[in-house]
Amino acid sequence: MDATAIVNRLKEKFGDAIGALTTENPDPFVVVDRKALVEICKFLKTDPDLELDFLVSISGLDLKEKMVAVYHLWGYKHRHGMVLKVECPPTDLVLPSVTSVWRAANWHEREQFDLFGFTFTGHPDLRRLLLPEDWVGHPLQKSYVYPTQYHGIDHYRPNPFDQFKAKDEADAKARAPSAPAEPTPGSTPATN
Amino acid sequence: MSEPTFSPATVTLEDGKMLLNMGPQHPSTHGVINFLVETDGEVIDRAIPEVGYLHRGIEKIGELVGYHAFMPYTDRVDYLAAMFANESYAMAIEKLIGVEVPRRALYLRAIACEINRIASHFVGTGTMPMDMGAFTPFTHWIREREYLNDIVEELCGARLTYNYLRIGGVSADMPVGLDKKILAYLDHLEPILAEFDRLISGNEIYIRRLANIVPITAAEAIDYGLAGPNLRASGVDWDLRRDVPYSVYKEFSFDVPIGRGKCGVAGDCYDRYWVRIEEIRQSIRILRQAVNGIPEGELTAKVPKKIKPPAGRDAYARVESARGELGCYVAADGSEKPGRLKFRTGSFSAMAIIEDKSPGLMIADLVAFIASLDVVAPEVDR
């Protein structure tokens, strides 16, 4: 089934929870309502005509005015794929967890929670995955403020070229009084 | 809303139970990974992977450098099979901006990738016996990997982090005479594979350490999102090169080896080992066809120096890496740098299954299990 047929099937079943299909994109995608996400995913996985049984990846996407979670799905039996997008306002990054549908979602959701700040309600073990537990902020958000230090270890390293430059300037200063004054242009009479 | 508190994995120990740190510098963890192992003597109650020691923020770096400049970073996603991350990233950008890659470049990519697949499986199947206590097979495969490194060095000038591919093509043509060298090497490699089988694949101790250990059913493998050799070992007949043909793979004939329970049940550790050995044979077949059939032509398509896809476009490209599906998701924000870049890797999903499959294993079996999944830590952490 191609993306249009899949979306038509979804619209039959879920109606308004399914947004319009965008086909002017390398991968066609559909925006779905986040409240109905788990039911939609369950249907996509269990419906015999769809059987999207492989959760390929979950990626967060920061568009500044809204945050998007992108679900890439694939079905081994029918060899077709689908891209779901779920939109959230930046102030409310809460999504239902799809760990009950695909067990692969466990780590994908932990990763997006860690790096992107989505909170997945119903996730069995929502902890940071890649960053330390006491890390502040979620680095892949566009508004992320880079930390200056971690547990007293400064992130700033002096640039060695700045040190060389300072040394050159100091040397030049030390040489300056003994050096003969350079003739300024125009001070010597023109020889004719 | 308030954020959840960040607490490490909660482990409450019953009487007589032990909590062990296996790692981060454990020789059998294939990189810097820590396993919190809750054990009752020799039997594991739960093994919790703690990853992230090699997190370098590659996805964030992608948002800070331009489209062309990111290519060398992709090498660092999986250092044992760097060519695949190159290819995945290049394909994602080509899909995003709509570039047709010349056929000679696609053939060169396929040659480079298949050489890299063999080299990567050398490490995978070499370290597996090493983790079981047999060191010699590893030295054989490292010797063979040296020859492949020499070939790749002639092709692109590097031996580990290749940076060979470019958006729209490849960086350099094959030097004169390299095709004959590759064919001669493949002739040399085939008897070595038979020798390797005599050395370790049929070894009674080795088979007993791997056969019937941690079988993963096909349904489980799909549910956990396993990919590549790990998925095929469970009996799922699936290979992106054959089933979603990208590049020029539909022009080659090759078989897709799947696990059928050669020495035990389907999907056990031995099947995961054997599928990789068979894949080396298939890669040899592909390489022969690619080297003999390489067409003349351009090396790169016309790609603008400044890539600026319109905002709102995004693309996902998937390749069959040595560790399974390596996908690259790129979303453009209208500037000269990617708005978002994400890698989906095979090792990531392989790591995620370990905790759920670990209860009841012996500690030595956990080592066999990790080795058989062929996880590479930087690919998990990125």
Side-chain angles (χ1 to χ4, degrees), chain B residues 245-319:
Chain B
Y246 59 94
S247 187
V248 285
Y249 280 106
K250 59 177 169 294
E251 297 173 20
F252 307 135
S253 68
F254 59 99
D255 297 327
V256 176
I258 59 169
R260 291 197 170 87
K262 188 174 163 58
C263 292
V265 293
D268 63 2
C269 289
Y270 193 86
D271 270 0
R272 283 190 280 280
Y273 164 80
W274 188 248
V275 159
R276 290 190 171 84
I277 293 284
E278 285 291 313
E279 268 185 28
I280 295 177
R281 294 204 170 88
Q282 298 306 322
S283 285
I284 293 173
R285 273 179 74 185
I286 297 175
L287 267 175
R288 284 221 172 90
Q289 296 168 52
V291 171
N292 286 323
I294 187 164
E296 290 299 317
E298 294 288 309
L299 289 180
T300 45
K302 292 252 177 295
V303 177
K305 278 209 172 112
K306 292 221 183 278
I307 297 176
K308 222 172 161 180
R313 271 175 86 83
D314 55 4
Y316 178 80
R318 51 207 312 223
V319 302

Side-chain angles (χ1 to χ4, degrees), chain B residues 87-106:
Chain B
E87 194 182 24
S88 165
Y89 174 69
M91 274 169 57
I93 306 297
E94 284 151 12
K95 200 170 166 186
L96 194 65
I97 59 175
V99 172
E100 182 118 355
V101 185
R103 282 191 73 226
R104 186 175 176 85
L106 289 178

